[in-house]
Amino acid sequence: MGKIGNFFENYIKKESLFINKKILSSAYTPEEILYREEQIHEVANILAPALRMEKPSNLFIYGRTGTGKTVSMRHILNNMNEIAQKNCILLKTIYVNCKLKRVADTEYRLIAQLIKEFGHEVPSTGLPTDEVYSYFYRLLDQDKGVVLLVLDEIDQLTKKIGDEILYNLTRINSELNNSQICLIGISNNLVFAENLDPRVKSSLSEEDVIFPPYNALQIKDILLKRAAQAFNNDVVQPGVIEKCSAYSAREHGDARRAIDLLRVAGEISERNGSKKIEIFHLDEAEKKVESDKIINTAINQPKQFQSVLYSILLIYPQKKNFFTGEIYEVYKNLSKQTKMNVLTQRRISDILAEFDMLGIINAKIISKGRYGRTRDISLSIDENIIIKLKAVLEKSLNLT
DNA sequence: AGGTATTCACATGAAACTATTCTCTGAGTTAGG
DNA sequence: TAACTCAGAGAATAGTTTCATGTGAATACCTGT
């Protein structure tokens, strides 16, 4: 047996820090959700009529990332389904995440996805949208009952393709004879409804529920509970949970981030062959999560985006602030060098705006008076991540 | 000195174009009866 | 004649280009003192 063989042999024999790592994954729905009783109650009250075959009010849920919106909603839907099944009530619940690329991020694809939830297939392209709609109507109306349709990250959808689709969805009911549909929108953006068509707004948010951020103490309790199930006893050293919760309370009470952080800390500790999770593992984890996030987003961008980003990194050693024009010049040369086709400055401007959105750069529009108006751009990444990023981009762009 | 008018270097918007992937339709072709 | 093939018309979508219009404040250019 070779070295590698031994390694694997040891690996499976080695006792893991984790009892059940799934507990710390973002897909996990806990039995009991802490500190959201009030909100869950409220939502349950609003949706309960569905169990009497009456259409509940449409509902809107607001709250920042990691405030338990999705988890709570899943929890409620699970319960309702269970009850419905037990009592032979016709209830269908559908959960769709509108952000998922190539799944539900356009009007056509959203409807196609809904059809899929009914167990049917529709081609991914080639059909007119109306046809897909009427297919969906027919499916919906096939049997009696209430349909609860949860649209998660709905703000992303309207940002991309406008609110027409929501308008269509809200008036579905008038076309249905047997069944009724109830819309539940979930949004990270608190002011999302402000720039919505008033008709859509009024009919969509007949009710709304707000999920406030968790505070540090609450996050601490959540982490403690998860950690107790996920790790063996005495693995997590004192102070780790506290620091972890303090860190994410600082970041507007994002419980998901806190849980991620704890899991990564565990992974790091395990890989180092340690039996415990110490505070410095957590610090490592913080760095790794941050760096992975940036490297991943960069890697998943199209080549042209990477090219623009690399151009910025090329100037970086000399300057800390860049203007659009400067970046474009460097980018042009780079593209010539790599034989990629050169995009217009108009496009580069949009690409830079997107990098700003992604949080990779920090762009502010400034006026230099007589010398024009432009973006004042700086990198919002850590020095050591920049080095890593540069290497990764070089590989991806086939630069020597 | 104080007040306007210019001007730069882009930003921002809208529309149109290109290319890719996929469906549907109908004409022409083929194989079997 | 029924089944099959294949080209062409249409859709959806992503990524661009083209054209048009907008814009904040440092300077140039006045004006009257």
Side-chain angles (χ1 to χ4, degrees):
Chain A
M1 198 189 308
K3 258 186 179 165
I4 287 287
N6 278 326
F7 168 77
F8 285 133
E9 193 72 22
N10 286 334
Y11 184 84
I12 56 169
K13 266 187 217 149
K14 198 161 64 183
E15 198 180 322
S16 172
L17 295 176
F18 294 100
I19 305 171
N20 185 357
K21 197 145 104 180
K22 253 192 255 159
I23 306 271
L24 296 179
S25 84
S26 51
Y28 176 73
T29 311
E31 287 293 306
E32 186 193 359
I33 298 167
L34 295 176
Y35 300 111
R36 291 288 98 129
E37 298 88 354
E38 207 180 296
Q39 286 78 17
I40 289 178
H41 220 89
E42 219 176 314
V43 173
N45 257 324
I46 293 164
L47 297 185
L51 293 172
R52 285 198 210 129
M53 306 279 280
E54 292 162 25
K55 178 195 167 300
S57 300
N58 288 335
L59 168 64
F60 223 101
I61 297 180
Y62 297 98
R64 308 191 70 154
T65 42
T67 50
K69 302 181 299 294
T70 304
V71 154
S72 302
M73 204 58 228
R74 279 230 169 89
H75 180 73
I76 293 166
L77 290 187
N78 286 344
N79 275 316
M80 288 182 81
N81 275 328
E82 224 169 90
I83 302 283
Q85 208 156 48
K86 210 186 291 172
N87 296 297
C88 299
I89 299 163
L90 280 173
L91 174 72
K92 172 120 184 124
T93 61
I94 301 177
Y95 172 89
V96 183
N97 188 325
C98 303
K99 204 179 64 179
L100 293 180
K101 281 234 183 277
R102 318 221 154 241
V103 175
D105 58 344
T106 70
E107 179 166 24
Y108 183 98
R109 293 212 264 252
L110 175 58
I111 304 297
Q113 181 62 27
L114 295 180
I115 290 173
K116 212 175 197 172
E117 294 283 342
F118 277 90
H120 291 246
E121 281 284 346
V122 103
S124 65
T125 172
L127 295 184
T129 307
D130 332 4
E131 206 152 305
V132 185
Y133 259 111
S134 55
Y135 188 20
F136 177 56
Y137 286 156
R138 252 178 291 140
L139 278 178
L140 256 184
D141 221 10
Q142 235 166 35
D143 34 33
K144 261 186 150 41
V146 178
V147 177
L148 296 182
L149 175 53
V150 181
L151 300 173
D152 203 346
E153 318 234 25
I154 199 173
D155 46 327
Q156 302 289 321
L157 185 67
T158 54
K159 199 176 76 193
K160 202 175 159 213
I161 60 169
D163 50 14
E164 204 176 315
I165 184 174
L166 295 183
Y167 181 67
N168 289 336
L169 286 175
T170 54
R171 10 164 309 203
I172 284 186
N173 273 328
S174 57
E175 312 242 341
L176 297 177
N177 303 316
N178 293 319
S179 57
Q180 287 187 297
I181 188 165
C182 165
L183 296 173
I184 299 144
I186 303 182
S187 161
N188 295 316
N189 185 354
L190 301 175
V191 294
F192 160 69
E194 301 299 312
N195 28 19
L196 225 51
D197 185 322
R199 286 173 304 181
V200 176
K201 191 184 166 190
S202 65
S203 75
L204 197 58
S205 60
E206 292 167 339
E207 305 267 1
D208 40 33
V209 176
I210 291 174
F211 279 59
Y214 297 105
N215 63 35
L217 285 177
Q218 294 169 334
I219 292 189
K220 186 183 134 194
D221 285 345
I222 292 169
L223 284 178
L224 276 173
K225 192 156 172 227
R226 294 263 188 133
Q229 298 173 60
F231 295 112
N232 281 306
N233 275 345
D234 304 325
V235 164
V236 184
Q237 293 297 291
V240 170
I241 299 265
E242 283 75 5
K243 179 151 189 195
C244 194
S245 50
Y247 167 72
S248 56
R250 188 156 23 99
E251 306 264 298
H252 60 255
D254 185 341
R256 183 174 3 187
R257 170 111 354 126
I259 292 169
D260 268 356
L261 210 53
L262 191 59
R263 176 173 42 80
V264 173
E267 284 165 1
I268 287 174
S269 157
E270 186 165 56
R271 207 167 311 149
N272 290 352
S274 167
K275 293 263 189 298
K276 309 209 178 282
I277 300 175
E278 320 254 4
I279 288 190
F280 70 87
H281 289 132
L282 192 67
D283 295 336
E284 287 279 303
E286 191 178 329
K287 273 188 225 150
K288 183 171 188 306
V289 166
E290 182 67 11
S291 142
D292 279 7
K293 201 180 78 188
I294 288 168
I295 303 268
N296 258 326
T297 46
I299 270 309
N300 288 324
Q301 298 303 319
K303 284 274 180 288
Q304 291 286 2
F305 279 56
Q306 295 182 2
S307 203
V308 174
L309 186 54
Y310 188 71
S311 303
I312 298 176
L313 295 186
L314 281 180
I315 321 177
Y316 180 76
Q318 292 119 54
K319 304 179 71 187
K320 258 209 106 203
N321 284 279
F322 329 100
F323 301 130
T324 306
E326 296 170 351
I327 295 172
Y328 187 60
E329 285 308 310
V330 176
Y331 159 81
K332 261 202 296 199
N333 288 332
L334 178 68
S335 295
K336 241 178 265 164
Q337 213 179 299
T338 57
K339 310 243 164 160
M340 291 170 70
N341 48 343
V342 182
L343 303 184
T344 47
Q345 181 156 336
R346 174 72 188 80
R347 182 66 186 132
I348 303 308
S349 178
D350 280 350
I351 291 176
L352 288 172
E354 282 210 38
F355 278 139
D356 188 24
M357 293 276 297
L358 290 170
I360 292 177
I361 63 174
N362 201 323
K364 203 168 45 186
I365 291 140
I366 56 157
S367 175
K368 292 183 291 165
R370 190 62 213 273
Y371 304 107
R373 237 160 89 90
T374 183
R375 285 197 168 85
D376 182 20
I377 295 166
S378 58
L379 281 166
S380 55
I381 344 175
D382 222 62
E383 188 75 39
N384 43 23
I385 302 178
I386 289 178
I387 296 164
K388 229 194 274 181
L389 184 59
K390 198 164 176 182
V392 168
L393 287 179
E394 264 162 26
K395 199 184 275 179
S396 168
L397 294 170
N398 296 317
L399 299 165
T400 40

